[in-house]
Amino acid sequence: NNKDSKVIIYGYASPEGSVEVNERIANQRADAVKNLLVNKYKIAADRITAKGKGVGDSFSEPDWNRVSICTIER
């Protein structure tokens, strides 16, 4: 409905594992959300940016930092 809006997806990992593994997981997590938006909801891929951000620290419980966070820019 908002054809001019852009979506940015940030993927995060919990602190277990090496830096390299966490970066890969964070990227994969962001890409998975992007693929869902493109394939299921038919949002144009060029309107979506997916970025892995490594280990997240938004939540005090480490496992809860295994998330993707989406923002919409208008």
Side-chain angles (χ1 to χ4, degrees):
N1 293 335
N2 298 293
K3 303 290 185 200
D4 295 329
S5 296
K6 304 249 185 227
V7 177
I8 301 174
I9 303 162
Y10 298 105
Y12 296 92
S14 59
E16 299 84 19
S18 68
V19 171
E20 294 82 16
V21 169
N22 286 331
E23 286 177 358
R24 186 179 78 242
I25 290 169
N27 281 318
Q28 290 172 338
R29 194 162 276 140
D31 287 338
V33 174
K34 178 179 180 173
N35 290 334
L36 175 80
L37 294 175
V38 170
N39 296 323
K40 185 172 183 177
Y41 296 103
K42 308 302 182 208
I43 298 172
D46 64 347
R47 294 177 50 208
I48 304 170
T49 302
K51 297 179 181 182
K53 301 293 273 183
V55 173
D57 62 0
S58 297
F59 302 101
S60 60
E61 188 68 36
D63 287 350
W64 294 357
N65 288 299
R66 297 176 181 155
V67 298
S68 291
I69 298 174
C70 300
T71 61
I72 299 173
E73 294 182 347
R74 294 183 178 208

